[in-house]
Amino acid sequence: MILEKIEQLLNEVKGISASNAGEIEALRLKYLSKKGEINALMADFRNVPADQKKEVGMKLNELKQTATERINALKEQFSQEDGLNDDVDLTRSPYPISLGTRHPLTIVTNEIIDIFSRMGFILADGPEVEDDLHVFTKMNFAADHPARDMQDTFFVEQNPNDVTNNIILRSHTSSVQARVMETTEPPIRVICPGRVYRNEAITARAHCFFHQVEGLYIDKNVSFTDLKQVLLTFAREMFGADTKIRLRPSYFPFTEPSAEMDISCHICGGKGCGFCKHTGWVEILGCGMVDPNVLEQCGIDSKVYSGYAFGMGVERVTNLKYQVSDLRMFSENDVRFLKEFESAN
């Protein structure tokens, strides 16, 4: 009788199955627990005649081993299936996840790069933590220029014995121009986009960091006329075909002659409005012919080569293009503000 019972249970455990952890645990309790059916058979083993103990014992061991292996296999199978969902983060936002958009400064920077790239300019990049040599000295800044004061520039490390070794956060991307001129044989035609830092109070019109795109063209017989035509083409590509420009005399240490460039107000068409302070013009960038001292400092013969340079603030251009009234909105990460630029992508 006990052999028949063992054989019956053996066939039963070979075919057991489960769909969840609870059912597996119920099977374990039924067959392998202290009050389970296999333990009950082992308790009856003492009543088996001596001549049958060997055969019955072997069958009991086979039954227990088969039941254990089968239940363990079910546990492993269920564990693997459950592991397929381990990559689900229950704390993240539910689907569908709304897609973001490019930042307005990125949109405008890419547009500026695209315009100048079509005119033959290539991208150049440099470090944001720079030395005085490339930020100021090679750009023809006087030793006592205010920009070299800690009130105007962020200093990382000072060297009182040699100011050219001062480590600072670059205040303009002209330092990239210096590095390019040091290592590149003319002709040179590059644009240098990047973030810059100045020690200024944060207001609606100014920030301690902002973004620039500067351009540099060095070759033989480069003239101011070349500069004017490139800037006129840029202005019309960026703000519309009817845009006009005007150049006003100005001063920069690294260019001579120097000029500020205004564009005709694209809101009122040059007639005068509150945005352009009723002048019909809005300032957009600074420019000029590269000072011969800058060329010589960077190892370029100023008697053979000439060139022009220009620089603009990306925030300024974005303000003009999208009429953003407060510069701080670009860095506050207000999703409501950023969503307004979804259609600009």
Side-chain angles (χ1 to χ4, degrees), residues 5 8 51 58 63 103 110 115-116 141 148 193-194 211 215 218 220 253 255 259-261 266 290 307 334:
K5 181 64 173 175
Q8 179 185 346
D51 59 336
M58 291 175 65
L63 172 62
H103 194 278
N110 289 344
I115 292 170
F116 284 107
F141 279 76
R148 284 182 138 131
H211 300 78
I218 305 292
K220 296 177 180 178
T255 53
E260 301 277 3
M261 189 184 92
H266 63 289
V290 179
D334 189 326

Side-chain angles (χ1 to χ4, degrees), residues 224 227-228 231 246-252 254-262 283-289 309-311:
F224 204 97
L227 170 62
K228 180 180 178 182
L231 296 180
R246 73 174 182 182
L247 297 170
R248 294 178 288 106
S250 186
Y251 166 77
F252 303 108
F254 33 83
T255 53
E256 178 61 36
S258 303
E260 301 277 3
M261 189 184 92
D262 304 329
E283 181 186 325
I284 186 175
L285 58 81
C287 60
M289 301 300 294
F310 56 85

Side-chain angles (χ1 to χ4, degrees), residues 26-39:
L27 291 171
R28 187 192 69 80
L29 293 174
K30 178 180 179 181
Y31 295 109
L32 299 174
S33 67
K34 289 183 179 180
K35 295 183 180 180
E37 296 189 25
I38 294 176
N39 261 10

Side-chain angles (χ1 to χ4, degrees), residues 8-285:
Q8 179 185 346
L9 286 178
L10 188 59
N11 292 331
E12 193 176 307
V13 297
K14 287 180 180 179
I16 61 175
S17 62
S19 58
N20 55 57
E23 292 182 5
I24 295 173
E25 179 62 14
L27 291 171
R28 187 192 69 80
L29 293 174
K30 178 180 179 181
Y31 295 109
L32 299 174
S33 67
K34 289 183 179 180
K35 295 183 180 180
E37 296 189 25
I38 294 176
N39 261 10
L41 288 174
M42 287 188 170
D44 290 341
F45 181 70
R46 61 177 176 269
N47 300 323
V48 174
D51 59 336
Q52 296 181 16
K53 280 188 181 291
K54 182 178 180 180
E55 181 183 3
V56 173
M58 291 175 65
K59 281 289 185 181
L60 272 174
N61 286 336
E62 181 185 356
L63 172 62
K64 185 173 183 179
Q65 184 176 353
T66 302
T68 302
E69 290 176 353
R70 182 59 187 159
I71 289 173
N72 287 340
L74 289 172
K75 285 182 178 180
E76 184 177 353
Q77 177 184 348
F78 182 76
S79 176
Q80 290 175 348
E81 292 176 355
D82 189 52
L84 296 176
N85 296 322
D86 286 347
D87 61 337
V88 176
D89 182 0
L90 299 179
T91 64
R92 73 181 179 188
S93 302
Y95 290 104
I97 299 175
S98 59
L99 295 178
T101 180
R102 288 181 299 165
H103 194 278
L105 296 181
T106 302
I107 295 171
V108 172
T109 300
N110 289 344
E111 190 171 351
I112 295 171
I113 291 171
D114 178 65
I115 292 170
F116 284 107
S117 295
R118 286 186 271 120
M119 289 190 280
F121 289 81
I122 62 174
L123 280 175
D125 194 15
E128 294 183 12
V129 181
E130 260 286 11
D131 55 29
D132 178 289
L133 179 67
H134 292 92
V135 176
F136 296 133
T137 303
K138 287 184 179 290
M139 288 292 111
N140 202 37
F141 279 76
D144 58 351
H145 194 282
R148 284 182 138 131
D149 194 294
M150 292 183 68
Q151 302 304 313
D152 281 20
T153 299
F154 290 107
F155 279 70
V156 177
E157 182 179 313
Q158 282 189 295
N159 188 327
N161 298 322
D162 185 1
V163 295
T164 62
N165 288 328
N166 287 340
I167 305 301
I168 59 180
L169 299 183
R170 67 183 182 190
S171 56
H172 50 195
T173 55
S174 301
S175 57
V176 182
Q177 297 182 31
R179 290 186 175 275
V180 170
M181 285 188 283
E182 279 181 336
T183 58
T184 308
E185 189 75 22
I188 298 169
R189 190 180 302 203
V190 296
I191 50 172
C192 315
R195 183 180 295 181
V196 298
Y197 306 83
R198 295 181 187 176
N199 190 7
E200 296 185 7
I202 300 174
T203 67
R205 298 178 59 84
H207 211 294
C208 61
F209 71 88
F210 57 99
H211 300 78
Q212 279 189 336
V213 176
E214 295 194 14
L216 173 71
Y217 177 42
I218 305 292
D219 203 348
K220 296 177 180 178
N221 303 316
V222 177
S223 69
F224 204 97
T225 302
D226 300 323
L227 170 62
K228 180 180 178 182
Q229 189 58 45
V230 163
L231 296 180
L232 177 61
T233 301
F234 163 72
R236 288 178 173 174
E237 288 285 328
M238 176 62 73
F239 298 104
D242 295 330
T243 303
K244 297 180 178 62
I245 68 169
R246 73 174 182 182
L247 297 170
R248 294 178 288 106
S250 186
Y251 166 77
F252 303 108
F254 33 83
T255 53
E256 178 61 36
S258 303
E260 301 277 3
M261 189 184 92
D262 304 329
I263 62 169
S264 55
C265 181
H266 63 289
I267 296 177
C268 64
K271 297 178 181 179
C273 65
F275 187 78
C276 62
K277 299 179 181 178
H278 301 284
T279 65
W281 298 94
V282 181
E283 181 186 325
I284 186 175
L285 58 81

Side-chain angles (χ1 to χ4, degrees), residues 108 112 238-239 284 312-321:
V108 172
I112 295 171
M238 176 62 73
F239 298 104
I284 186 175
M312 68 192 81
V314 178
E315 281 85 347
R316 179 64 169 163
V317 177
T318 308
N319 279 345
L320 295 172
K321 190 172 181 66

